């Protein structure tokens, strides 16, 4: 008979301390950004540094040694990491969201994940559920493929959606928590930007998943998790708002890094074909800088409202209604668009050398252009979802990501 897992509660650093830790990693992340992009994976030293700083256990339950922080902390940490490396910040956001989802599984699953390692990491994918699932006595056997699994190269566990057959013939969508060493990872992430995320394809081939590592998807999506999460944590809300927060933080941080670079270089860069001493003397440069800064500031304000709204409802123990959830999704898309537009303006202001492969601006431009087109943000669906909610109709008729 195995010994019971002993809970380990650690001191929870406040938001200021955690953001300070992220700030302290900025130089390291920046130094490894080229390597991360070339290798299409975060450098081992980057993962170790984020882990040792506790920035990958923000959403891990306190009873398992995590911090159980709020959404504003996740946003601010991801933003600060993004100023060093967009890919690293994106992975931190996804892995923390994955740890949150893992915390909603039955206690036996949490003991498996963190019982021996409070820094264990869970990747999360919200793609279409695996089509091949069969019941066995103590769980299910799963075969399927999930693309775009950010964090799969650096996780010990992976949460993915599966469609469990029911007697009524209508599939029951569940999260399945799978060991990373029991699935295969296909090298499919060959993209122009966010290359360091290594968001490859995960493949399961007749993988057994015990019953305690299955949890219904809809209650998590709808924020119906009261009493499920660690009692030391505040009531949590819908998954969609939480999942996007780390991603938009990465985009904001990248845009801020581009702004800092262009503004600093403006004092030493000439304006070709003009008599201006440097770029800062040009009214056009000043106008571009003002426009980009305003868009980034607006993106930050919107992102803060999303995070604060989720936290406010969580503290009040009130589930977020569909209109607010739909607004959060639309505003997340707006944050990505504003960051993308700001960086486009900044590259024009800096000049054509921004596209030199040795210039970090071109990598930031590619990262933000790819990241801001994440499926949760693009193709006009967020606008449709919010508009449908505003006229009193169910936005889930258009998309389940609400």
């Amino acid at each position: 008979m195995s010994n019971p897992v002993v809970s380990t509660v650690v001191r929870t650093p406040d938001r200021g301390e955690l953001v300070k830790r992220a700030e302290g990693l900025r130089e390291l992340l920046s130094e490894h950004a080229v390597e991360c992009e070339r290798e299409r994976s975060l450098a081992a030293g980057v993962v170790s540094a984020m882990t040792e700083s506790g920035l990958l256990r923000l959403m891990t339950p306190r009873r398992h040694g995590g911090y159980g922080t709020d959404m504003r902390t996740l946003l601010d940490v991801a933003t600060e990491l993004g100023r060093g490396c967009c890919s690293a910040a994106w992975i931190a956001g996804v892995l923390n969201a994955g740890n949150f989802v893992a915390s909603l599984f039955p206690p036996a699953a949490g003991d498996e994940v963190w019982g021996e390692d409070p820094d264990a990491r869970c990747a999360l994918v919200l793609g279409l559920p695996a089509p091949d699932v069969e019941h066995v006595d103590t769980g299910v056997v799963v075969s399927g493929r999930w693309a775009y699994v950010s964090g799969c190269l650096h996780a010990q566990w992976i949460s993915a959606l599966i469609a469990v057959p029911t007697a009524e013939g209508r599939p029951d969508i569940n999260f399945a928590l799978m060991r990373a060493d029991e699935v295969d990872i296909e090298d499919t992430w060959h993209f122009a930007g966010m290359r360091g995320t290594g968001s490859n394809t995960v493949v399961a081939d007749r993988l057994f998943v015990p019953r305690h590592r299955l949890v219904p998807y809809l209650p998590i999506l709808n924020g119906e998790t009261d009493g499920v999460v660690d009692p030391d944590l505040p009531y949590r809300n819908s998954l969609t708002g939480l999942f996007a927060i780390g991603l938009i933080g990465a985009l904001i941080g990248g845009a801020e890094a581009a702004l800092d670079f262009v503004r600093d270089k403006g004092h030493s860069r000439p304006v070709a074909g003009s008599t201006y001493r440097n770029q800062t003397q040009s009214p056009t440069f000043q106008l571009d800088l003002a426009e980009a800064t305003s868009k980034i500031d607006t993106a930050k304000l919107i992102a803060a409202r999303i995070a604060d709204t989720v936290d406010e409802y969580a503290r009040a123990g009130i589930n977020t209604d569909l209109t607010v959830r739909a607004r959060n999704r639309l505003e997340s898309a707006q944050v990505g668009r504003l960051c993308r537009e700001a960086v486009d303006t900044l590259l024009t202001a800096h000049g054509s050398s921004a596209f030199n492969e040795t210039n970090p601006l071109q990598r930031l431009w590619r990262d933000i252009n790819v990241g801001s087109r994440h499926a949760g943000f693009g193709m006009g669906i967020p606008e449709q979802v919010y508009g449908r909610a505003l006229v009193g109709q169910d936005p889930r008729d258009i998309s389940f990501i609400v």
Side-chain angles (χ1 to χ4, degrees):
M1 182 175 178
S2 60
N3 294 324
V5 176
V6 178
S7 298
T8 303
V9 180
V10 299
R11 182 186 71 85
T12 302
D14 62 22
R15 181 186 306 159
E17 180 178 340
L18 290 167
V19 173
K20 191 75 173 177
R21 293 182 191 180
E23 181 183 356
L25 296 181
R26 190 194 309 167
E27 185 176 350
L28 174 70
L29 268 56
S30 181
E31 289 174 352
H32 283 85
V34 173
E35 175 191 352
C36 290
E37 179 172 70
R38 183 181 64 248
E39 300 299 325
R40 293 179 298 112
S41 173
L42 299 188
V46 167
V47 178
S48 294
M50 291 196 298
T51 301
E52 291 166 7
S53 297
L55 301 182
L56 300 182
R57 60 163 84 174
L58 300 181
M59 310 304 297
T60 300
R62 292 174 188 169
R63 68 187 180 91
H64 287 299
Y67 297 151
T69 60
D70 59 15
M71 295 303 101
R72 187 61 181 273
T73 300
L74 176 61
L75 172 66
D76 291 351
V77 166
T79 298
E80 197 59 49
L81 292 175
R83 298 182 70 181
C85 175
C86 289
S87 289
W90 188 276
I91 292 301
V94 171
L95 292 178
N96 276 301
N99 285 354
F100 164 76
V101 169
S103 75
L104 304 180
F105 281 76
D111 291 342
E112 275 190 88
V113 174
W114 295 294
E116 297 181 359
D117 181 9
D119 285 314
R121 302 178 289 271
C122 304
L124 172 67
V125 56
L126 299 180
L128 295 175
D132 190 357
V133 180
E134 61 181 84
H135 285 282
V136 294
D137 287 343
T138 56
V140 295
V141 173
V142 178
S143 295
R145 300 166 57 85
W146 298 267
Y148 307 129
V149 187
S150 299
C152 65
L153 298 177
H154 311 290
Q156 290 79 37
W157 297 84
I158 295 169
S159 289
L161 296 177
I162 64 171
V164 180
T166 64
E168 296 79 17
R170 185 169 57 186
D172 182 22
I173 307 302
N174 275 242
F175 271 114
L177 187 60
M178 305 175 289
R179 294 183 182 275
D181 58 7
E182 293 182 345
V183 299
D184 293 322
I185 297 176
E186 290 187 0
D187 185 5
T188 56
W189 185 246
H190 299 271
F191 276 63
M194 288 290 185
R195 293 171 60 83
T197 64
S199 303
N200 292 299
T201 298
V202 168
V203 182
D205 182 14
R206 295 199 57 77
L207 175 66
F208 170 68
V209 180
R211 189 171 293 113
H212 70 272
R213 285 203 256 124
L214 298 173
V215 68
Y217 169 64
L218 285 179
I220 294 176
L221 178 67
N222 294 328
E224 297 164 356
T225 56
D226 196 13
V228 178
V229 191
D230 186 324
D232 291 332
L233 302 182
Y235 176 91
R236 297 294 187 178
N237 270 280
S238 64
L239 174 63
T240 309
L242 176 144
F243 184 72
I245 285 171
L247 307 188
I248 60 178
L251 301 177
I252 293 170
E256 287 189 317
L259 174 62
D260 290 343
F261 185 89
V262 171
R263 186 169 50 200
D264 292 346
K265 294 295 184 182
H267 295 280
S268 59
R269 284 182 57 76
V271 180
S274 80
T275 59
Y276 290 117
R277 186 172 67 253
N278 58 48
Q279 288 182 334
T280 66
Q281 304 303 306
S282 166
T284 302
F285 181 83
Q286 295 167 10
L287 290 171
D288 284 345
L289 210 60
E291 178 185 348
T293 302
S294 179
K295 287 186 175 182
I296 294 170
D297 285 346
T298 302
K300 291 168 67 175
L301 288 170
I302 294 172
R305 181 166 94 148
I306 297 169
D308 290 345
T309 297
V310 174
D311 285 335
E312 183 180 322
Y313 275 87
R315 284 190 291 267
I318 302 171
N319 199 17
T320 319
D321 64 47
L322 284 171
T323 301
V324 173
R325 287 161 55 180
R327 187 193 73 192
N328 285 348
R329 181 173 176 189
L330 172 60
E331 291 189 341
S332 295
Q334 289 178 325
V335 169
R337 175 177 53 79
L338 287 165
C339 290
R340 183 171 70 238
E341 291 174 354
V343 171
D344 282 348
T345 299
L346 289 168
L347 266 73
T348 299
H350 186 76
S352 59
S353 67
F355 293 94
N356 189 306
E357 289 185 356
T358 63
N359 193 318
L361 284 175
Q362 50 80 31
R363 184 179 63 254
L364 291 167
W365 177 72
R366 288 184 287 105
D367 284 349
I368 290 170
N369 268 270
V370 170
S372 63
R373 290 177 170 87
H374 183 277
F377 304 146
M379 297 184 288
I381 301 302
E383 289 83 356
Q384 294 179 41
V385 163
Y386 189 37
R388 195 172 187 87
L390 288 174
V391 297
Q393 299 179 32
D394 193 334
R396 294 170 295 187
D397 292 341
I398 296 174
S399 172
F400 69 92
I401 306 176
V402 182

